[in-house]
Amino acid sequence: MKCNVTITVSISDPWRNERKMIAMPPCSHVSPDEIRAHFASAMSAMYRQEVPSYGTLLDLVKEVNQQTLNAHPALKARLSSDNTCARLDVERHGAIRLGTPQELETCRRVFTVMGMFPVGYYDLSVAGIPVHSTAFRPLDEVALSRSPFRIFTSLLRPELIADEELRQTALDVLQKRDIFIPETKNLLELHDRNGGLTSAEADRFVSTTLETFRWHREASVSANTYHQLHAAHRLVADIVCFKGPHINHLTPRTLDIDAVQKQMPERGMQAKARIEGPPERLVPLLLRQTSFTALKEEIIFANGEAGTHTARFGEIEQRGIALTPKGRALYDTLLEQARQESTTPYEQRLVEAFRAFPDDEQELRRQKLAFFRYVLTTQTVPAGRSLEGLIAEGAIVAIPITYEDFLPVSAAGIFQSNLGEHKTAATMQAASRLAFEKALGAPVHDEMALYEAMQAASLEQLGLTETELCNA
């Protein structure tokens, strides 16, 4: 049954803000949230089959999360109230690496079908990695609560391959491949033409798109070409030498990353040397990440020779509170302070530096260092009270907004630990966000603006404003 209707909605566009009339898709179309959830589940099953240690990691994270919730009833109550508990078992992010602007633009269209949009721009060349990236993810709280799946997507910057002849070789190899099978592209056209996909079409879309990210042990280049590209940078070889952008890791979310880090060796996984991101705190900030080290996998080169390739690994993340621009500036300052050369171990320097960052939710809120969602616990907002007074009385609860994005330093640390300490920072050029957006075919969303909008929307529902919050 067709039930097209036209409604007015506000569409967030980094280049312009206006109200548009759009046609809602027919009732027979599957929602992007459902397609995203289906795809995330299918990809997790595929990766678990390809990398058995990933299944072990999932089991470990699930056990640690349950132990953490059992040991902290107040935390369990809060996470249950805002649907975070329900998200934990399905929370995933993956990562892919693309070779050409055409691949990036088509991936954007693919992820749009799943209700995922580019958020943030990440320049990893500052860590000696010749890529720049964005994260495709849902934009609003409702979509995130239904399926929080994200894909951290990197694009090769061939101009950062110093050897001109080798650079041209890489470009020639990439131009010859097509990472999407014809049915996927046909379904993309069908989606764009009809404004959505039916249940049967969505099932085919998920299964065919999954083939793009499947591991293929057959390299598309000779052993000699592989080793030349590998010598330039391991990640260049990973991007260029295979049929497609195999998923290189999937990441479950834990409530206690330190416990997971400690227990990985007990489960037969070699954990990376340290956890990336801020130190352990009462109120977790932004994002902490760790992983088990990359696997050495057998491959067959195009000339028939056998070899090995190392790139795919298992990652874990612990998400904390989203920081305001003021909070992020303090975070960056303290992190840079901890990274200064010293005879003191890095972990100790990190803990000492972050003592200057308040570790209390109320103080974070009062100092405007983090974003919060404000929820009314009574029928109406009592008149004549300040926001602080309402919070003190319990009439309003301030709930930390979870950070849904990534950190360049964390991402670079994970990449480097699994690709080796091969750095060519001296040859790297400045970031090129405009070039990335041109290849993408769209601007990336500003993550700070998304968090600000979440906070402002919660205040608006209470009849309050950002000005009242700032004056509270």
Side-chain angles (χ1 to χ4, degrees), residues 57 93 249-252 289-292 313-317 414:
L57 184 66
H93 92 246
H249 69 267
L250 282 179
T251 305
Q289 294 176 290
T290 189
S291 72
F292 63 73
F313 55 96
E315 186 179 86
I316 314 97
E317 67 181 20
I414 293 290

Side-chain angles (χ1 to χ4, degrees), residues 451-466:
Y451 297 122
E452 288 175 357
M454 286 183 185
Q455 179 170 277
S458 71
L459 287 167
E460 184 178 351
Q461 287 181 343
L462 302 179
L464 301 171
T465 65
E466 289 284 354

Side-chain angles (χ1 to χ4, degrees), residues 12-301:
S12 176
D13 187 325
W15 288 347
R16 67 170 184 260
N17 290 311
E18 59 185 29
R19 296 181 72 81
K20 298 180 179 179
M21 302 296 289
I22 65 171
M24 297 298 288
C27 289
S28 59
H29 287 167
V30 179
S31 76
D33 293 343
E34 291 180 68
I35 300 175
R36 182 173 66 257
H38 184 185
F39 182 78
S41 176
M43 180 171 279
S44 183
M46 180 186 76
Y47 197 66
R48 189 166 188 157
Q49 184 177 36
E50 293 180 347
V51 183
S53 294
Y54 168 68
T56 304
L57 184 66
L58 288 182
D59 294 339
L60 172 58
V61 168
K62 187 172 183 178
E63 290 176 21
V64 168
N65 286 346
Q66 191 58 57
Q67 292 166 1
T68 303
L69 291 172
N70 292 342
H72 300 87
L75 174 65
K76 183 176 182 178
R78 167 182 279 188
L79 297 183
S80 297
S81 68
D82 65 5
N83 202 44
T84 300
C85 277
R87 282 179 51 171
L88 285 177
D89 287 344
V90 299
E91 186 104 16
R92 300 283 187 279
H93 92 246
I96 57 172
R97 302 156 183 167
L98 304 173
T100 69
Q102 293 76 21
E103 292 175 357
L104 179 64
E105 195 273 340
T106 304
C107 270
R108 177 184 62 79
R109 293 177 61 204
V110 165
F111 293 135
T112 297
V113 173
M114 304 181 198
M116 300 164 68
F117 306 92
V119 178
Y121 173 76
Y122 303 85
D123 172 28
L124 298 186
S125 71
V126 297
I129 303 173
V131 301
H132 45 184
S133 316
T134 192
F136 288 94
R137 70 165 177 87
L139 298 182
D140 61 69
E141 289 183 280
V142 173
L144 284 163
S145 68
R146 289 173 177 168
S147 173
F149 188 62
R150 316 165 184 83
I151 290 282
F152 190 84
T153 303
S154 299
L155 175 66
L156 177 67
R157 296 180 65 185
E159 72 274 15
L160 300 183
I161 301 174
D163 186 309
E164 291 185 15
E165 184 176 347
L166 190 61
R167 183 192 315 149
Q168 190 58 51
T169 297
L171 290 172
D172 290 343
V173 172
L174 290 169
Q175 289 301 323
K176 293 176 182 177
R177 77 179 186 183
D178 188 346
I179 66 174
F180 297 98
I181 64 178
E183 188 173 4
T184 297
K185 292 185 282 188
N186 291 339
L187 287 166
L188 274 179
E189 295 297 329
L190 187 66
H191 171 274
D192 293 347
R193 185 165 60 250
N194 295 340
L197 296 175
T198 65
S199 179
E201 292 163 351
D203 287 344
R204 295 207 315 275
F205 180 80
V206 168
S207 63
T208 59
T209 302
L210 204 63
E211 294 304 310
T212 295
F213 307 112
R214 189 180 298 279
W215 168 251
H216 298 281
R217 65 191 298 260
E218 300 82 10
S220 56
V221 301
S222 68
N224 182 58
T225 299
Y226 172 88
H227 290 303
Q228 286 181 321
L229 291 167
H230 190 277
H233 198 289
R234 292 187 183 188
L235 192 130
V236 173
D238 186 62
I239 294 173
V240 174
C241 297
F242 296 89
K243 295 179 181 179
H246 41 259
I247 189 79
N248 62 69
H249 69 267
L250 282 179
T251 305
R253 176 180 172 186
T254 182
L255 297 174
D256 189 345
I257 199 168
D258 298 276
V260 174
Q261 174 87 342
K262 180 180 179 180
Q263 293 181 44
M264 273 197 287
E266 300 170 9
R267 305 293 180 97
M269 294 173 282
Q270 183 181 346
K272 68 184 298 295
R274 70 180 183 222
I275 296 170
E276 303 290 340
E280 183 179 10
R281 294 164 44 89
L282 295 175
V283 182
L285 301 177
L286 297 176
L287 181 69
R288 301 178 75 204
Q289 294 176 290
T290 189
S291 72
F292 63 73
T293 52
L295 310 172
K296 182 176 287 188
E297 301 180 87
E298 294 183 356
I299 59 174
I300 302 297
F301 296 108

Side-chain angles (χ1 to χ4, degrees), residues 323-332 368-371 448 452:
L323 299 182
T324 62
K326 178 182 177 182
R328 184 60 185 266
L330 177 58
Y331 173 93
D332 290 342
K368 313 297 186 292
L369 296 172
F371 289 110
M448 287 288 187
E452 288 175 357

